[in-house]
């Protein structure tokens, strides 16, 4: 009893250490911010005023007022003559901007205002982020006491808490069900702001378009309505009586993926329009060029007549400078190149810059610039002057673009100290757990993997302390305080301790002592399973396989099931044929094939699940059938009262979807729908609560002493509680899933059920039955099926496919805890419930049902000693391998666009499994007398 409980505790410790190592790796691979590394005190913040002893005059502001009109998730193809007629017809200049990843709001705002690239990890900090920037266009305007007004997304206020003179922020920016109310507030405040004439810069940030995309997708009919609303807002600004000498810039912070989300690197997400509006459009000539979003920062700094922010690495947008005089344009190109050259000198060293090609381009440009000063000031527009002007402009732009590209590459910083500690800890904990599972029978006695060794811990502490001090002295590891340095000692010591254990174990396995037997595996590893797992691990090294990972799982899952089915069929036929001395072979084959008919039906269902997105025409019928089938599948886990409330809950799920217009339902007036929706959800939650209470009341003391319960098996209470948890969770997921995805729930349960029956049959037909072989097959097939259904749901390795809509189901405001829980439960439903189903199935299983005498120790006892530890090891192994690949591919072209999103997904998958494992283990601990 104590041994199998200690196995759960040991597995929990390994999972905890792995997560700690993964966090350290992410900290080292994705530094929290570039701004710390890019603070360069040697760069002058003032604008240059001389060139070769010639006095230069910084140009004044080009316009009296500037308006930045930001529409969240405005794709480049959204503004058309049909959707936004005013925006298209009255634009002086139409450009496109390339948006760097991650394509989420907070990093994009940082790039627009500071001119620097954001770190990829900023995508994880986008929600609830409170970082305050030290330098930006807004800081420069505030230094000049210019009035800056803001209306819109509250994220701006978090980034710039004291830089706005006036502000009207939408505090519910993350509440995606708000399509119109927040935008109406922005438009209302805009009307008041237009009546004032004291502001230099007005920033507007509309969120409704982004919210519609998240909830209903990019094909929603509300998209066109929202674009027309934005068009009317632009028209209101352009036609206002106070708009005289102005520049209006219409753009988006990022685009919108085809599914309605964002965060990825598709062209729809990384390309946004930039439309310019002014009173005098004749100053601008048409252009179809595309620039980077960070180029907006230095360009606006010149037009606003303020200093370029010190962190800016952007280049100028020449088309936006056409309103300046030639002398002022030349100064702008010189200032931007001068600013970037100073950054390059600090970054790469003066000598390195002096030997570079761009330094010679800069010298040529400045010499031509000096020659042009007198003709330009005299108004000489001769051909020779024009040639010199174009050559100087070209050289300045070449300098700026070359340095900008090099600085962009140099922003990729890795903290190799944290990466080394993180990788060592994740790899060692994974191998430690894996070896303890594979050599289960001798892990404690001979390998001593689970034994605590005080002397080894003391040695690890000494080595870890020395390494920690050495790394800090050599600047291999950088920490912000002494406390952080001391805390870092814990993972260093843990990684050393585990590494010593793993090395010793591998040495004993590979090089056994003389006159001793070679250590043998306690767990049989079937070659087909190993081959499929090896193929899955091998695909992690290809960017194409990562982008289309769902195809890998579809192939592996179906292949593995089909292979197992055929091997079982062959064994059954062979066994029956031997017993009947070769007679009636055809009848035997037919009978055996009929016995396995269900698994072939399951394989057909798995193929059909790939085309769920094409079944929208029959989604009402499909949902009714799915809920009925789902209710039937859950009956075996519930008693009669629970079954009744399950059915009522599923009826309410259909009613809720019907009231929202997603499935066919009774036509009701809109005001009545609004009144009914909340009571329907309340009744649904009441049904879930009743199912939960009815399941838990069986463990109460007065319920466990009844005469009719004396004959129940000892594990009854534990099993009932786990079944109740799984049932309630599945009912909730039925509410969260998209309408067309509800069919996945009963299909997944059927697939798991028939797969487990196939595994039992496979084991029973073997010449020598092995319970552990059956467990290994069930564990690996459960993992494969979980991943298959994860991708059937529409998930991918792109961050843009995260469905945020379930997080706001029944919510009237933004609650980060509830949103995170619902989105996680919806996204990782297949992973969570496949694991829970395996645990429940193993507790329920009686091998006598397949003709095998119950073995000792009981079959279900393997949950603690084998099933949960091995499942955990197989979850960790590919993630640990992928973290190592991330280090190898750190300079890969697609490291941030393809590989990095997947590492976030994988680490979060481990976190979700960790929480599910912890909660399940607690039930085993509290009800240990039932196990």
């Amino acid at each position: 009893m104590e041994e199998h409980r200690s196995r759960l505790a040991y597995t929990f410790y390994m999972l905890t250490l792995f997560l700690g190592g993964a966090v350290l790796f992410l900290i080292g691979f994705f530094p929290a911010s570039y701004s710390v590394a890019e603070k360069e005190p040697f760069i002058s913040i003032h604008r240059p005023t001389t060139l070769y002893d010639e006095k230069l005059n910084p140009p004044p502001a080009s316009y009296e007022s500037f308006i930045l009109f930001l529409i969240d998730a405005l794709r480049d193809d959204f503004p058309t003559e049909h959707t936004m007629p005013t925006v298209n017809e009255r634009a002086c200049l139409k450009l496109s901007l390339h948006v760097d990843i991650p394509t989420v709001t907070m990093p994009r705002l940082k790039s627009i205002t500071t001119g620097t690239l954001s770190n990829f990890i900023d995508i994880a900090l986008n929600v609830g982020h409170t970082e305050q920037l030290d330098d930006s266009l807004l800081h420069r305007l505030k230094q000049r006491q210019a009035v800056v007004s803001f209306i819109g997304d509250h994220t701006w206020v978090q980034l710039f808490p004291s830089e706005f003179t006036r502000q009207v922020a939408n505090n519910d920016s993350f509440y995606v069900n708000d399509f119109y109310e927040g935008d109406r507030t922005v438009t209302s405040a805009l009307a008041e702001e237009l009546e004032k004439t004291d502001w230099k810069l007005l920033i507007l940030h509309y969120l409704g378009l982004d919210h519609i995309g998240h909830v209903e997708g990019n094909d929603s009919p509300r998209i066109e309505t929202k674009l027309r609303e934005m068009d009317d807002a632009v028209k209101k600004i352009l036609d206002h009586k106070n708009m005289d000498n102005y520049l209006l810039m219409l753009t988006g912070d990022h685009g919108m993926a085809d599914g309605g989300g964002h965060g990825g690197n598709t062209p729809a997400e990384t390309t946004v329009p930039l439309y310019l509006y002014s009173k005098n459009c004749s100053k601008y000539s048409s252009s179809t060029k595309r620039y980077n979003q960070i180029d907006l920062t230095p360009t606006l700094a010149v037009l606003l007549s303020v200093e370029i922010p010190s962190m800016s690495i952007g280049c100028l947008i020449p088309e936006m400078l056409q309103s300046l005089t030639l002398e002022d344009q030349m100064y702008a190109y010189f200032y931007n190149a001068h600013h970037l050259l100073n950054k390059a000198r600090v970054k790469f060293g003066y000598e390195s810059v002096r030997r570079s090609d761009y330094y010679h381009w800069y010298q040529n440009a400045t010499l031509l610039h000096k020659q042009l000063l007198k003709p330009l000031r005299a108004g000489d527009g001769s051909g020779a002057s024009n040639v010199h002007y174009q050559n100087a402009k070209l050289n300045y732009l070449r300098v700026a673009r070359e340095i900008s590209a090099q600085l962009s590459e140099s922003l990729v910083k890795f903290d190799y100290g944290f990466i080394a500690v993180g990788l060592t800890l994740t790899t060692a904990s994974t191998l430690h757990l894996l070896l303890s599972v594979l050599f289960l029978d001798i892990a404690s006695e001979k390998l001593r993997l689970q034994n605590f060794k005080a002397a080894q811990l003391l040695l690890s502490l000494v080595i870890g302390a020395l390494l920690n001090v050495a790394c800090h002295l050599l600047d291999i590891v950088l920490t912000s305080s002494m406390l952080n340095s001391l805390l870092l000692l814990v993972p260093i010591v843990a990684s050393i301790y585990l590494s010593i254990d793993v090395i010793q174990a591998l040495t004993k396995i590979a090089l056994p002592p003389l006159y001793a037997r070679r250590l043998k595996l306690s767990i049989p590893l079937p070659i087909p399973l190993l081959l499929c797992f090896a193929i899955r691990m091998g695909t992690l090294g290809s960017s194409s396989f990562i982008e289309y990972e769902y195809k890998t799982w579809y192939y592996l899952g179906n292949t593995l099931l089909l292979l197992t089915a055929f091997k079982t069929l062959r064994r059954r036929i062979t066994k029956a044929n031997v017993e009947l001395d070769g007679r009636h072979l055809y009848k035997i084959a037919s009978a055996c094939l009929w016995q396995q008919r269900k698994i072939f039906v399951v394989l057909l269902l798995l193929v059909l699940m790939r085309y769920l997105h094409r079944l929208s025409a029959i989604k009402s019928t499909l949902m009714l059938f799915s809920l009925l089938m789902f209710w039937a599948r859950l009956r075996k886990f519930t008693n009669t009262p629970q079954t009744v409330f399950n059915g009522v809950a599923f009826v309410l799920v259909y009613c809720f979807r019907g009231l929202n217009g997603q499935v066919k339902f009774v036509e009701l007036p809109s005001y009545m729908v609004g009144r009914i929706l909340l009571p329907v959800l309340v009744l649904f939650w009441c049904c879930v609560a009743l199912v939960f209470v009815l399941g838990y009341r069986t463990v109460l003391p007065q319920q466990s002493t009844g005469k009719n319960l004396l004959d129940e098996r000892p594990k009854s209470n534990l099993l009932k509680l786990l079944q109740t948890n799984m049932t309630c969770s599945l009912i909730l997921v039925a509410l969260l899933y998209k309408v067309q995805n509800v069919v996945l729930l009963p299909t997944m349960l059927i697939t798991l059920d028939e797969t487990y029956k196939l595994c039992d049959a496979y084991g029973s037909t073997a010449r020598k039955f092995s319970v552990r072989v059956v467990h290994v097959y069930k564990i690996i097939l459960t993992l494969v099926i979980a991943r298959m259904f994860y991708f059937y749901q529409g998930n991918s390795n792109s961050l843009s496919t995260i469905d945020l809509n379930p997080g706001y189901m029944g919510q009237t405001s933004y609650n980060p805890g509830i949103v995170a829980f619902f989105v996680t439960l919806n996204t990782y439903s297949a992973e969570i419930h496949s694991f829970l189903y395996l645990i429940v199935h193993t507790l329920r299983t009686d091998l006598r049902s397949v003709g095998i005498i119950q073995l000792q120790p009981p079959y279900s006892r393997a949950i603690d000693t084998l099933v949960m530890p091995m499942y955990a090891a197989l979850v960790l192994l590919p993630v640990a391998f992928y973290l190592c690949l991330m280090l190898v591919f750190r300079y890969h072209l697609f490291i941030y666009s393809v590989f990095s999103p997947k590492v976030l997904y994988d680490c979060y998958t481990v976190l979700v499994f960790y929480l599910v494992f912890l909660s399940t283990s607690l039930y085993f601990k509290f009800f240990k007398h039932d196990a």
Side-chain angles (χ1 to χ4, degrees):
M1 184 74 71
E2 291 298 326
E3 179 186 351
H4 78 103
R5 286 207 304 277
S6 67
R7 289 284 299 170
L8 287 181
Y10 162 75
T11 306
F12 171 73
Y13 295 147
M14 291 300 106
L15 284 169
T16 304
L17 291 173
F18 183 94
L19 276 176
V23 170
L24 289 174
F25 177 86
L26 293 177
I27 292 173
F29 203 88
F30 306 112
S33 178
Y34 292 137
S35 58
V36 176
E38 287 301 303
K39 287 179 181 177
E40 296 158 348
F42 303 106
I43 296 178
S44 174
I45 61 173
H46 302 291
R47 290 180 288 182
T49 55
T50 58
L51 176 65
Y52 296 119
D53 298 328
E54 291 284 343
K55 186 177 180 182
L56 298 177
N57 297 314
S62 304
Y63 302 91
E64 293 179 2
S65 54
F66 295 78
I67 303 173
L68 179 60
F69 196 114
L70 207 63
I71 302 177
D72 210 293
L74 182 66
R75 267 168 50 157
D76 192 38
D77 60 345
F78 275 174
T80 64
E81 295 179 359
H82 176 66
T83 57
M84 305 181 78
T86 302
V87 164
N88 266 276
E89 293 171 7
R90 300 179 61 174
C92 299
L93 186 62
K94 298 177 183 178
L95 300 171
S96 293
L97 296 179
H98 172 76
V99 177
D100 292 295
I101 55 173
T103 49
V104 292
T105 297
M106 187 272 292
R108 297 300 95 233
L109 301 187
K110 289 170 64 175
S111 293
I112 291 172
T113 55
T114 65
T116 189
L117 300 177
S118 296
N119 193 346
F120 182 82
I121 202 63
D122 280 340
I123 195 165
L125 308 175
N126 185 54
V127 179
H129 190 64
T130 56
E131 178 187 357
Q132 298 176 11
L133 298 178
D134 298 326
D135 188 20
S136 68
L137 286 173
L138 302 183
H139 289 80
R140 299 304 170 100
L141 286 168
K142 185 179 180 181
Q143 291 171 4
R144 294 181 175 271
Q145 299 181 343
V147 176
V148 180
S149 294
F150 168 73
I151 311 170
D153 183 5
H154 190 260
T155 307
W156 284 87
V157 180
Q158 292 178 320
L159 289 172
F160 308 102
S162 59
E163 274 61 55
F164 296 118
T165 311
R166 293 187 294 270
Q167 62 187 37
V168 178
N170 177 11
N171 292 323
D172 265 346
S173 301
F174 293 105
Y175 180 57
V176 299
N177 287 334
D178 177 17
F179 295 167
Y180 303 107
E181 195 60 38
D183 286 355
R184 290 192 188 109
T185 301
V186 175
T187 303
S188 176
L190 168 63
E192 298 178 11
E193 203 63 42
L194 288 176
E195 296 299 325
K196 302 170 184 176
T197 58
D198 61 337
W199 45 267
K200 184 71 173 180
L201 175 63
L202 172 62
I203 300 174
L204 308 170
H205 192 153
Y206 285 87
L207 288 165
L209 183 67
D210 179 64
H211 291 177
I212 293 171
H214 280 300
V215 175
E216 299 185 359
N218 65 302
D219 293 328
S220 169
R222 287 193 173 98
I223 292 285
E224 184 175 333
T225 305
K226 176 56 66 176
L227 292 174
R228 287 190 175 276
E229 180 187 338
M230 297 296 96
D231 191 65
D232 292 339
V234 171
K235 187 175 186 299
K236 180 183 292 187
I237 296 173
L238 298 179
D239 293 340
H240 197 273
K241 60 182 180 180
N242 290 338
M243 289 294 99
D244 185 19
N245 186 18
Y246 67 90
L247 177 65
L248 169 63
M249 296 159 286
L250 174 72
T251 187
D253 55 345
H254 52 76
M256 181 187 295
D258 289 338
H262 55 87
N265 66 323
T266 62
E269 297 167 83
T270 58
T271 307
V272 297
L274 174 61
Y275 289 4
L276 303 181
Y277 304 85
S278 180
K279 203 73 173 179
N280 185 6
C281 279
S282 61
K283 297 178 181 179
Y284 297 95
S285 59
S286 61
S287 175
T288 58
K289 291 184 179 180
R290 186 171 72 166
Y291 296 92
N292 198 295
Q293 195 176 51
I294 61 174
D295 297 339
L296 201 55
T297 306
T299 307
L300 275 177
V302 170
L303 296 176
L304 286 163
S305 191
V306 296
E307 296 82 3
I308 296 175
S310 59
M311 291 187 293
S312 172
I313 59 172
C315 305
L316 294 178
I317 303 176
E319 288 81 358
M320 291 184 66
L321 304 178
Q322 295 175 24
S323 60
L324 301 177
T325 64
L326 292 181
E327 181 183 355
D328 290 342
Q329 288 185 42
M330 190 54 59
Y331 177 88
Y333 296 128
F334 162 66
Y335 177 29
N336 183 233
H338 178 76
H339 165 80
L340 292 173
L341 189 69
N342 283 340
K343 288 181 70 69
R345 285 168 173 161
V346 173
K347 189 72 178 179
F348 308 123
Y350 279 71
E351 188 61 27
S352 175
V353 169
R354 192 179 63 82
R355 293 196 304 268
S356 65
D357 291 336
Y358 57 77
Y359 183 72
H360 298 293
W361 301 340
Y362 178 77
Q363 286 185 316
N364 292 335
T366 52
L367 290 173
L368 290 172
H369 187 181
K370 181 184 178 182
Q371 296 176 18
L372 280 169
L373 286 177
K374 288 184 179 179
L376 289 176
R377 290 170 180 172
D380 182 6
S382 62
S385 299
N386 188 48
V387 170
H388 288 330
Y389 169 80
Q390 293 297 335
N391 287 335
K393 173 184 173 181
L394 177 62
N395 280 311
Y396 277 140
L397 288 174
R398 288 172 69 192
V399 170
R401 288 166 183 163
E402 179 65 24
I403 298 178
S404 177
Q406 292 189 18
L407 289 173
S408 297
E409 293 177 2
S410 71
L411 286 177
V412 179
K413 295 181 178 297
F414 302 108
D415 191 326
Y416 289 104
F418 277 95
I419 291 175
V421 175
L423 274 185
T424 305
L425 194 53
T426 53
T427 305
S429 58
T430 302
L431 292 177
H432 206 281
L433 180 58
L434 186 63
L435 289 173
S436 72
V437 172
L438 294 179
F439 297 90
L440 177 63
D441 299 330
I442 58 174
S444 298
E445 294 80 6
K446 295 185 178 180
L447 298 184
R448 301 183 64 202
L449 287 172
Q450 294 176 238
N451 300 344
F452 176 74
K453 292 153 284 222
Q456 184 174 316
L457 179 62
L458 183 61
L459 176 64
S460 302
L461 184 61
V462 173
I463 297 174
L466 293 175
L467 277 176
N468 196 16
V469 172
C471 289
H472 279 82
L473 291 176
L474 298 174
D475 290 336
I476 298 174
V477 175
L478 301 176
T479 51
S480 57
S481 65
M482 180 62 71
L483 177 61
N484 290 339
S485 301
L486 293 174
L487 290 176
L488 187 61
L489 183 62
V490 176
I492 293 176
V493 171
S495 60
I496 294 172
Y497 183 92
L498 293 178
S499 298
I500 293 173
D501 262 357
V502 170
I503 292 171
Q504 288 179 341
L506 291 175
T507 303
K508 290 178 181 179
I509 294 168
L511 302 171
L514 292 175
Y515 310 108
R517 288 184 177 182
R518 183 177 293 273
L519 301 180
K520 293 184 179 181
L521 293 174
S522 303
I523 307 298
L525 297 176
I527 293 178
L529 298 185
L530 284 178
L531 184 60
C532 287
F533 207 77
I535 292 173
R536 183 265 185 280
M537 298 274 283
T539 59
L540 296 176
S542 167
S543 60
S544 297
F545 275 108
I546 290 175
E547 285 188 283
Y548 301 101
E549 188 180 353
Y550 62 92
K551 294 185 178 181
T552 303
W553 286 108
Y554 295 166
Y555 173 78
L556 287 181
N558 289 332
T559 302
L560 202 52
L561 281 174
L562 193 62
L563 187 62
T564 308
F566 278 128
K567 289 185 71 174
T568 305
L569 181 63
R570 188 190 67 180
R571 286 183 175 184
R572 276 179 164 171
I573 294 173
T574 303
K575 186 175 182 181
N577 193 36
V578 170
E579 292 174 355
L580 296 174
D581 297 326
R583 293 170 293 172
H584 311 294
L585 180 59
Y586 177 77
K587 291 183 178 180
I588 292 171
S590 300
C592 293
L593 189 61
W594 179 251
Q595 286 179 330
Q596 293 189 197
R597 64 192 182 281
K598 291 183 178 180
I599 197 64
F600 293 108
V601 173
V602 166
L603 286 168
L604 181 61
L605 281 174
L606 293 179
V607 174
L608 291 175
M609 290 303 103
R610 304 181 194 179
Y611 306 101
L612 278 179
H613 59 282
R614 300 182 183 179
L615 302 177
S616 57
I618 57 169
K619 60 183 179 181
S620 300
T621 306
L622 183 64
M623 187 174 188
L624 276 174
F625 175 74
S626 303
L627 290 174
L628 181 62
M629 189 165 56
F630 194 29
W631 174 76
R633 297 304 301 182
L634 291 180
R635 285 183 63 187
K636 68 177 181 179
F637 302 120
T638 55
N639 53 37
T640 302
Q642 285 179 306
T643 301
V644 172
F645 288 114
N646 281 354
V648 175
F650 290 145
V651 170
L652 292 170
V653 168
Y654 187 86
C655 292
F656 178 78
R657 294 298 186 179
L659 291 170
N660 280 312
Q662 295 170 312
V663 293
K664 291 181 180 178
F665 198 67
V666 180
E667 291 289 340
L668 294 173
S670 57
Y671 71 91
M672 189 177 293
V673 171
R675 293 179 181 178
I676 296 176
L677 270 176
L678 184 58
V680 167
L681 283 175
V682 171
L683 287 174
F684 171 82
W685 282 109
C686 288
C687 289
V688 175
L690 285 169
V691 173
F692 185 81
V693 171
L694 288 170
Y696 270 69
R697 74 173 185 174
T698 58
V699 301
L700 297 176
Q702 61 270 25
Q703 297 293 331
S704 61
T705 57
K707 185 177 179 180
N708 59 335
L709 297 178
L710 292 176
D711 296 331
E712 292 191 1
R713 288 180 294 170
K715 61 184 178 184
S716 175
N717 285 343
L718 175 62
L719 176 60
K720 287 181 179 178
L721 291 180
L722 292 176
Q723 287 181 162
T724 300
N725 292 344
M726 185 179 70
T727 302
C728 293
S729 180
L730 285 168
I731 295 171
L732 178 55
V733 169
L735 177 70
L736 301 179
Y737 263 22
K738 291 179 179 178
V739 171
Q740 67 269 26
N741 284 344
V742 174
V743 70
L744 292 173
L745 295 172
T747 306
M748 183 180 72
L749 298 187
I750 293 171
T751 304
L752 289 170
D753 232 1
E754 295 305 319
T755 300
Y756 296 155
K757 291 178 183 177
L758 177 65
C759 292
D760 288 335
Y762 179 80
S764 66
T765 55
R767 293 180 181 177
K768 185 178 179 181
F769 176 76
S770 171
V771 176
R772 288 177 175 174
V773 169
V774 176
H775 281 310
V776 170
Y777 264 92
K778 287 183 178 180
I779 291 167
I780 294 184
L781 285 173
T782 301
L783 279 165
V784 171
I785 291 169
R787 294 305 291 174
M788 288 175 68
F789 278 86
Y790 171 83
F791 288 109
Y792 283 147
Q793 192 181 335
N795 296 313
S796 72
N797 288 323
S798 171
L799 297 170
S800 61
T801 56
I802 298 176
D803 186 8
L804 297 180
N805 194 30
Y808 301 89
M809 195 71 70
Q811 304 296 309
T812 56
S813 61
Y814 174 65
N815 186 312
I818 294 176
V819 170
F821 174 73
F822 282 174
V823 171
T824 300
L825 184 60
N826 174 72
T827 305
Y828 292 94
S829 170
E831 308 268 1
I832 295 169
H833 296 107
S834 294
F835 174 70
L836 293 178
Y837 197 90
L838 176 63
I839 301 302
V840 169
H841 163 80
T842 310
L843 281 173
R844 290 170 58 94
T845 297
D846 186 349
L847 289 180
R848 286 172 294 186
S849 63
V850 292
I852 298 170
I853 299 175
Q854 185 72 37
L855 303 178
Q856 292 296 332
Y859 180 74
S860 60
R861 283 281 301 280
I863 292 177
D864 325 73
T865 57
L866 174 60
V867 175
M868 292 177 70
M870 186 172 185
Y871 198 101
L874 293 180
V875 168
L876 299 185
L877 184 59
V879 182
F881 179 69
Y882 189 70
L883 290 178
C884 296
L885 286 180
M886 285 288 291
L887 181 61
V888 176
F889 293 148
R890 63 190 181 278
Y891 294 116
H892 194 283
L893 179 63
F894 301 130
I895 185 64
Y896 291 117
S897 58
V898 176
F899 291 97
S900 294
K902 178 170 174 56
V903 82
L904 294 184
Y905 269 115
D906 282 354
C907 291
Y908 196 74
T909 301
V910 174
L911 175 62
V912 171
F913 175 76
Y914 174 81
L915 296 175
V916 176
F917 180 92
L918 174 60
S919 60
T920 307
S921 301
L922 289 175
Y923 278 90
F924 277 89
K925 179 177 176 58
F926 294 144
F927 298 92
K928 55 190 175 184
H929 57 280
D930 292 343

